[in-house]
Amino acid sequence: MLNLNVPGTDPVLKQSTETRPKAVSAWLDRLPFSIPTEAAQQLVMALYALNRQQLDAAERTALLTLYRPVVARAVASLEAMLAESGVPPSPQMRQTGALLRELHIEHSYGYKQVLLSLINRRFGRPNPKYLAEASTRLLAVLRDIQAACYLTYSPLPAGLWQELHQVYQFALSTGLADDAGEDAPPASRAYCQALLTALADPPHMNPAQLALTQIYLSKFASLAVLAPVTANPPKPGFLITVKADRPPGQLSVNPEEGDLWLCTEALCRHLHETGQRLRAGDTPRQAGLPHGMESEPSKALLKRLLKLWGNSAQRVFKRHARPGETMQLVAGLGAIHRLLDPSPPASADDTDTDNHLQIRCVETTPAAPLAAPAPPQITQWSII
């Protein structure tokens, strides 16, 4: 059973919600696309009202079909604006980023409700074609929410990874994971794109690198293989804890039943071979890279992705603390030195000359013994 976050109904908004397809299509054509933020704001308000109305799956799907290309056009305009903003972004660009995330979130609510309506229908079994279409669309929109958060350097919404894992598991259990929509990738590819994007360390990417990564994954994400995790999973690869609200990571914990393993061996081999061809003088097009990766930074990006997705250096410890855990912190260089080397400092009478240790003894009044350094102050922090 899917546990998806959807808004409740609001009867007050029913009077202001247009659900006639012809009227909706005419209104969408009149949106002020020359002012991207204004068009996006109107789309958010319309989807907000639509998502809080009781509609059957067929009616909602027909409306979302009308909204989808218009939302994509507005998203492209907002992303172009954000790509030109500096770091840190200005207050106006932060508002634009929040608008982009809100637009994707409201768009996702529609497909969540369609999928839940199909699953929970009272009579008969849902059409597999409609189930595949809804789950594929939903995974693609959830992936877009993730990309919007990375583009705007914002934290992911709580529960996003759990929903990504759930929807993919549903598509896998129903045999629909490899079925593609009309203009959407199969659920398995959209899921792999989200996993690999998270593993590409997007917080340390600029917008251009993030865009190039998405272009690369749009063609080659299917080279990564998803399979149930085993006692000795192949390397390179990453563990996916499907019952947790977190991205893939190192195999630092014992896998549970149902967990997945993302094997990136074929993907890394392609990155390595493509990098070799580019260094040998081939153009990006001759090397098979998709349109949009003709720029010089693509070479450096491939090398970076190979290192991140190759997972060559396996850590035996967790790099990031998880919510609910605690960690100890010390502040200051002196405190860090005392923590790493608690021994007292050497005496000034001890010298090292010509690479030979010489001890100079001087008759003088005995000095007071050196005081032991004060222990560093260690504070305990809780991770939330």
Side-chain angles (χ1 to χ4, degrees), residues 135-146:
S135 57
T136 297
R137 296 287 180 196
L138 179 53
L139 266 173
V141 178
L142 293 176
R143 175 206 60 194
D144 293 341
I145 296 175
Q146 175 208 43

Side-chain angles (χ1 to χ4, degrees), residues 23-36:
V24 170
S25 180
W27 174 77
L28 291 172
D29 290 337
R30 295 193 304 269
L31 285 175
F33 292 106
S34 59
I35 310 175

Side-chain angles (χ1 to χ4, degrees), residues 199-201 205 238 303-312:
L199 291 168
D201 194 19
M205 281 184 171
F238 301 88
K303 184 177 180 181
R304 183 178 189 273
L305 294 177
L306 178 61
K307 181 179 179 181
L308 292 167
W309 292 341
N311 193 16
S312 57

Side-chain angles (χ1 to χ4, degrees), residues 57-79:
E59 187 176 6
R60 195 180 297 277
T61 300
L63 291 172
L64 287 172
T65 302
L66 297 175
Y67 274 95
R68 186 168 59 248
V70 182
V71 169
R73 181 177 177 180
V75 165
S77 299
L78 295 179
E79 289 179 344

Side-chain angles (χ1 to χ4, degrees), residues 99-141:
L99 181 60
L100 175 64
R101 297 191 299 271
E102 192 175 359
L103 180 57
H104 280 308
I105 290 173
E106 289 296 337
H107 195 200
S108 73
Y109 284 154
Y111 285 108
K112 289 180 188 180
Q113 291 173 335
V114 168
L115 184 58
L116 291 175
S117 297
L118 291 172
I119 294 174
N120 299 326
R121 59 183 302 175
R122 293 184 178 181
F123 304 105
R125 299 182 61 183
N127 189 321
K129 178 181 177 182
Y130 297 152
L131 277 177
E133 180 79 9
S135 57
T136 297
R137 296 287 180 196
L138 179 53
L139 266 173
V141 178

Side-chain angles (χ1 to χ4, degrees), residues 23-367:
V24 170
S25 180
W27 174 77
L28 291 172
D29 290 337
R30 295 193 304 269
L31 285 175
F33 292 106
S34 59
I35 310 175
T37 53
E38 178 64 25
Q41 186 64 49
Q42 293 189 31
L43 283 170
V44 168
M45 294 173 62
L47 288 171
Y48 180 92
L50 185 66
N51 290 330
R52 286 150 184 83
Q53 298 304 312
Q54 191 71 32
L55 300 172
D56 61 33
E59 187 176 6
R60 195 180 297 277
T61 300
L63 291 172
L64 287 172
T65 302
L66 297 175
Y67 274 95
R68 186 168 59 248
V70 182
V71 169
R73 181 177 177 180
V75 165
S77 299
L78 295 179
E79 289 179 344
M81 294 173 61
L82 292 168
E84 297 175 357
S85 63
V87 179
S90 64
Q92 182 180 1
M93 286 296 102
R94 286 199 292 270
Q95 293 179 359
T96 302
L99 181 60
L100 175 64
R101 297 191 299 271
E102 192 175 359
L103 180 57
H104 280 308
I105 290 173
E106 289 296 337
H107 195 200
S108 73
Y109 284 154
Y111 285 108
K112 289 180 188 180
Q113 291 173 335
V114 168
L115 184 58
L116 291 175
S117 297
L118 291 172
I119 294 174
N120 299 326
R121 59 183 302 175
R122 293 184 178 181
F123 304 105
R125 299 182 61 183
N127 189 321
K129 178 181 177 182
Y130 297 152
L131 277 177
E133 180 79 9
S135 57
T136 297
R137 296 287 180 196
L138 179 53
L139 266 173
V141 178
L142 293 176
R143 175 206 60 194
D144 293 341
I145 296 175
Q146 175 208 43
C149 292
Y150 290 149
L151 178 63
T152 56
Y153 303 98
S154 304
L156 300 182
L160 178 64
W161 275 112
Q162 205 157 28
E163 291 183 343
L164 278 164
H165 298 326
Q166 280 188 63
V167 177
Y168 174 72
Q169 290 288 91
F170 169 78
L172 190 65
S173 64
T174 53
L176 306 172
D178 295 322
D179 293 348
E182 293 182 3
D183 56 351
S188 57
R189 189 190 304 172
Y191 185 56
C192 282
Q193 287 174 342
L195 297 172
L196 292 167
T197 301
L199 291 168
D201 194 19
H204 293 93
M205 281 184 171
N206 57 43
Q209 291 173 324
L210 184 59
L212 289 173
T213 302
Q214 291 174 317
I215 292 173
Y216 179 83
L217 289 176
S218 66
K219 184 174 182 180
F220 298 110
S222 56
L223 291 176
V225 179
L226 282 166
V229 66
T230 59
N232 295 308
K235 296 179 182 179
F238 301 88
L239 175 68
I240 305 167
T241 309
V242 298
K243 296 180 182 179
D245 185 23
R246 60 172 178 263
Q250 305 286 348
L251 188 58
S252 57
V253 296
N254 294 326
E256 301 178 1
E257 183 179 358
D259 286 351
L260 299 175
W261 184 256
L262 179 68
C263 180
T264 56
E265 184 177 4
L267 183 65
C268 291
R269 187 184 304 114
H270 179 268
L271 285 168
H272 177 69
E273 294 173 353
T274 304
Q276 284 185 325
R277 293 184 61 178
L278 292 176
R279 288 190 294 272
D282 284 1
T283 64
R285 178 168 295 184
Q286 290 172 334
L289 291 176
H291 176 71
M293 297 193 71
E294 293 84 4
S295 58
E296 186 66 25
S298 298
K299 298 180 182 179
L301 178 66
L302 295 180
K303 184 177 180 181
R304 183 178 189 273
L305 294 177
L306 178 61
K307 181 179 179 181
L308 292 167
W309 292 341
N311 193 16
S312 57
Q314 293 283 343
R315 290 188 295 270
V316 296
F317 59 89
K318 294 179 296 183
R319 185 174 181 179
H320 302 288
R322 297 176 183 172
E325 296 184 350
T326 60
M327 62 184 300
Q328 294 180 334
L329 292 180
V330 295
L333 291 176
I336 295 174
H337 290 163
R338 292 197 301 273
L339 188 66
L340 297 176
D341 186 11
S343 59
S347 170
D349 290 337
D350 296 343
T351 60
D352 186 4
T353 307
D354 295 331
N355 297 327
H356 295 283
L357 181 63
Q358 298 180 353
I359 301 178
R360 183 177 59 188
C361 299
V362 180
E363 293 184 2
T364 183
T365 305

